[in-house]
Amino acid sequence: MRFRRLAVLLVLLWSLLPLLWQLYTSLRTGSALISPQPGLSGWTLDNYRQILSGDPPFWRFLLNSTVVGLASTALTLLLAIPCAYGLQRQPARTRALLSGALLAAAVFPYVLLFLALLELARRFGLANHLLALSLPYAGLTLPLAVLLLGAAFRDLPPELEESALLEGLNTWQRLRWVLLPLIAPASASTGLLVFLFSWNEYPIALTWISRQELLTLPIAIARIAGSSVYTVPYGAFAAATVLGSLPLLALMVIFQKPIVAGLTQGAVK
Amino acid sequence: MSGVQRPQGLVLEGLERRVGSNLVLDGLNLSVAPGECLALLGPSGCGKTTTLRLIAGLDQPSAGRIRLDGDDITRQPPSRREVGMVFQSYALYPHLTVERNLSLGMELRGLPRERIAAQISSVLELLQLEPQRRRRPAELSGGQRQRVALARALVRQPRLFLLDEPMSNLDAQLREDLRAELRLLLCGGPQPVVYVTHDQQEAMGLADRIAVLHQGRLQQIGSPRELYDQPANLFVAGFIGRPRINVLPAEAGCIRAVRPEHLEPLAEGGLPARVLLREWQGASQLLQLETPHGRWRMVCDGRVELAESFGLGWPPARELRFEAGSGRRLH
């Protein structure tokens, strides 16, 4: 029992220490960070003040990322749910074939695509449009989302839909009133994965967006500069990272229950 | 208007279902009159659930027709057939309350609110589910869930009831209670009822007529009494009646069989038998006997005292005779 507690503590330290270190760094002055002896002095909120008073202020990037994340999530779920439902109704062989193709697409390293995507953006004038970013994001996360939701549909007993069919519900009504509420946990966890991807995505955001006020978080953080070329603004980086993680933390807390339910769904009949 | 009276009830004509090269159902003909309760009885894999799914329209037949009150519904989509079906797993919507489970279909078809409310209230009262009205299926007992499933089929006032082993998930006592309730509720109404079960006792207790299926073929259809007294073949004789019928080895192309309750101990002579096991059941006792023809079963009055070994006899008139090759009953 004691050993188990110790093991849990170790794992927690392992995964939380970097985050705690960021939090610590964000609250220290530059000189306190590099001083050899740790002292009680040198605590400050200046790092936060600095990035929040930048031009544009940091909350602008948070907003940008939130907008792109929500749009990508909505678009992905909107497309993935009907796809997953349709996939489920295919004969076993077609389904296996399509699932294989989706899996291949899901594991493809998307970084290799960013040049082609850049060409597309230029061609269709999508550069420097915040919402346009959600097009490649939804496209890239769609295969995994369809697979995850497909598994959720497959776990539902077929009699549920048959019963609704016999009651005279049409396809849309069966999906809306019977199936969707039952795959809500899976939809929530899938949606969160999409949001996370969009929140963290770097290469496409870097190449599609150049206007300062439209940058998403990862790009904006990378562009934080020190007072001179020779200073690395550790404190400001850390403060930006902390602020950028808070919304994710909030989402996790809100969706914790349905996500865990979604992850274990179908494990026990 | 034609003067010809249209056949009422459900009629299956040469219904066939093939899955790949496998013939799951082989030319089924039968009819169920309005208000009649027909049990489809047979071992698992005999085609009874397939038949039910074909009638509901959940699967398509490879050949044959389904008529309901004279209308050919073979190609009609299931949503328009107006059947009330109770699934083995009940298939209640887990996220909805009892009340919403019953109302969802009617709401989405746009029936007036007052009418839905009235219909639901009367069915909930009929099935004594009023106190559970706002509960979800997970909060109900097995028997209550089964009643909700039944209520959902009843509330729509369908043209036909289909029940797929609705009691297989319940314990024995509940099953017995519900059997009577089900019979009162469904049978004798204006709709035909088709009831699938593998439990011959349930079929005998519930149905007006029983159709015995085996390997996709109809073996016999008739009243429980007919099936018991005049089984069409050896399979039906073995499937109907508990304990199982005793079979003698083939003799000159004829197989003879005797029901356990028709056996009696003889003062002398007869088939030598030794008691292996005695199961005392109160009014009666069930004996497992060792005979030259293998293990036989015998049922007799519970008060009879029997020796360890005795001779077995039976009235010749009680004996059933079957053709050795085909298994058909000889008259």
Side-chain angles (χ1 to χ4, degrees):
Chain A
M1 205 56 216
R2 186 172 295 170
F3 173 75
R4 196 180 297 177
R5 241 179 250 169
L6 194 71
V8 169
L9 205 68
L10 275 176
V11 171
L12 273 179
L13 272 181
W14 173 281
S15 44
L16 286 183
L17 208 56
L19 297 179
L20 292 175
W21 188 253
Q22 287 288 317
L23 187 63
Y24 170 78
T25 308
S26 72
L27 294 169
R28 303 287 281 170
T29 59
S31 52
L33 274 173
I34 48 172
S35 105
Q37 65 259 59
L40 284 174
S41 63
W43 295 96
T44 179
L45 284 174
D46 273 351
N47 295 319
Y48 290 93
R49 242 170 252 134
Q50 184 202 325
I51 58 166
L52 285 173
S53 61
D55 179 37
F58 192 73
W59 58 260
R60 178 69 207 233
F61 306 127
L62 275 174
L63 187 69
N64 290 347
S65 271
T66 308
V67 167
V68 178
L70 289 179
S72 309
T73 308
L75 189 59
T76 306
L77 287 181
L78 210 64
L79 295 172
I81 287 171
C83 284
Y85 175 72
L87 179 69
Q88 240 6 77
R89 297 172 60 98
Q90 298 302 315
R93 186 177 277 191
T94 320
R95 200 173 61 213
L97 211 69
L98 289 173
S99 299
L102 284 170
L103 195 65
V107 298
F108 187 84
Y110 82 93
V111 180
L112 300 180
L113 293 174
F114 92 92
L115 271 181
L117 285 171
L118 186 60
E119 274 311 305
L120 282 176
R122 215 176 266 161
R123 181 75 177 266
F124 292 103
L126 297 173
N128 279 323
H129 286 288
L130 209 46
L131 283 177
L133 265 185
S134 56
L135 293 176
Y137 290 178
L140 289 169
T141 49
L142 198 56
L144 187 65
V146 171
L147 285 175
L148 289 175
L149 292 170
F153 276 120
R154 190 158 52 241
D155 281 343
L156 298 178
E159 302 95 81
L160 276 179
E161 199 186 353
E162 285 171 354
S163 179
L165 180 66
L166 290 176
E167 284 199 76
L169 273 64
N170 62 34
T171 310
W172 160 245
Q173 290 172 329
R174 295 198 298 274
L175 197 58
R176 165 69 188 85
W177 296 101
V178 178
L179 302 179
L180 272 190
L182 296 174
I183 63 153
S187 306
S189 46
T190 307
L192 204 80
L193 280 180
V194 177
F195 192 84
L196 276 178
F197 172 84
S198 156
W199 194 262
N200 294 325
E201 203 284 331
Y202 194 84
I204 299 176
L206 178 69
T207 46
W208 281 38
I209 305 284
S210 58
R211 277 167 58 188
Q212 181 72 12
E213 73 275 16
L214 292 179
L215 293 181
T216 57
L217 266 179
I219 318 297
I221 292 176
R223 286 200 187 173
I224 292 173
S227 45
S228 78
V229 206
Y230 303 105
T231 23
V232 181
Y234 290 114
F237 275 147
T241 317
V242 169
L243 286 183
S245 315
L246 286 180
L248 293 187
L249 209 65
L251 275 181
M252 278 294 181
V253 169
I254 295 169
F255 286 107
Q256 192 185 27
K257 263 195 184 160
I259 285 167
V260 173
L263 289 178
T264 56
Q265 195 181 41
V268 183
K269 274 277 168 200
Chain B
M1 280 269 132
S2 78
V4 183
Q5 198 172 357
R6 308 205 312 164
Q8 294 296 297
L10 175 74
V11 181
L12 308 182
E13 292 168 7
L15 208 60
E16 187 184 296
R17 167 123 170 119
R18 235 174 242 285
V19 178
S21 59
N22 199 359
L23 197 57
V24 188
L25 195 65
D26 185 4
L28 181 64
N29 290 297
L30 55 81
S31 62
V32 192
E36 184 186 25
C37 180
L38 178 86
L40 291 176
L41 178 66
S44 53
C46 71
K48 53 193 194 299
T49 297
T50 303
T51 308
L52 209 63
R53 292 179 61 85
L54 292 177
I55 299 171
L58 297 173
D59 289 326
Q60 282 296 309
S62 332
R65 282 181 190 293
I66 305 165
R67 290 180 201 282
L68 185 56
D69 298 333
D71 305 327
D72 186 343
I73 61 165
T74 319
R75 300 283 160 210
Q76 211 174 45
S79 50
R80 290 183 39 216
R81 294 192 186 192
E82 294 178 58
V83 301
M85 183 154 173
V86 177
F87 289 84
Q88 186 171 5
S89 62
Y90 311 147
L92 300 177
Y93 308 131
H95 57 297
L96 299 179
T97 59
V98 168
E99 195 174 23
R100 291 270 294 148
N101 257 282
L102 303 194
S103 68
L104 184 66
M106 294 191 289
E107 274 172 33
L108 294 179
R109 270 181 293 135
L111 294 191
R113 202 168 282 235
E114 308 80 61
R115 198 176 133 202
I116 298 176
Q119 254 165 275
I120 286 180
S121 289
S122 80
V123 169
L124 286 179
E125 196 165 324
L126 185 67
L127 285 165
Q128 296 158 13
L129 283 167
E130 196 59 56
Q132 282 78 34
R133 200 181 178 119
R134 296 191 201 290
R135 300 230 179 119
R136 282 168 211 271
E139 302 166 287
L140 302 176
S141 70
Q144 287 169 341
R145 281 181 214 176
Q146 203 269 352
R147 291 218 299 278
V148 175
L150 201 61
R152 196 173 59 180
L154 275 166
V155 79
R156 329 175 23 218
Q157 306 179 330
R159 293 169 73 187
L160 174 67
F161 281 115
L162 303 174
L163 298 98
D164 187 6
E165 309 232 13
M167 298 208 262
S168 60
N169 295 332
L170 303 177
D171 61 63
Q173 181 60 48
L174 207 53
R175 226 185 272 206
E176 222 162 276
D177 296 348
L178 276 171
R179 199 146 71 198
E181 197 175 336
L182 211 56
R183 197 176 165 98
L184 286 172
L185 275 174
L186 296 181
C187 309
Q191 303 94 342
V193 180
V194 182
Y195 188 102
V196 161
T197 178
H198 66 268
D199 179 350
Q200 55 121 1
Q201 237 179 338
E202 205 171 288
M204 303 258 256
L206 250 167
D208 299 308
R209 283 190 306 155
I210 300 175
V212 180
L213 289 168
H214 182 47
Q215 294 177 340
R217 289 221 182 98
L218 181 64
Q219 304 293 315
Q220 186 175 8
I221 182 165
S223 68
R225 182 102 198 230
E226 273 165 16
L227 262 59
Y228 185 76
D229 289 339
Q230 300 148 33
N233 56 37
L234 207 48
F235 176 82
V236 176
F239 202 79
I240 303 279
R242 284 286 171 280
R244 211 151 34 92
I245 198 163
N246 301 301
V247 182
L248 286 137
E251 237 180 288
C254 169
I255 296 174
R256 295 185 295 156
V258 196
R259 297 231 178 251
E261 57 272 36
H262 297 148
L263 293 175
E264 52 197 27
L266 297 180
E268 57 184 44
L271 185 69
R274 193 169 65 84
V275 178
L276 283 175
L277 215 66
R278 191 190 304 258
E279 214 177 284
W280 192 73
Q281 296 170 327
S284 64
Q285 55 183 324
L286 166 62
L287 300 156
Q288 301 277 347
L289 305 171
E290 192 176 83
T291 75
H293 303 317
R295 187 177 290 195
W296 276 32
R297 295 150 295 275
M298 171 176 170
V299 175
C300 64
D301 194 296
R303 286 163 304 186
V304 174
E305 296 279 348
L306 287 167
E308 279 307 298
S309 297
F310 53 87
L312 270 182
W314 56 88
R318 294 293 206 175
E319 189 177 274
L320 296 165
R321 294 157 170 276
F322 301 93
E323 199 177 70
S326 65
R328 256 184 320 196
R329 192 163 65 90
L330 299 166
H331 295 277

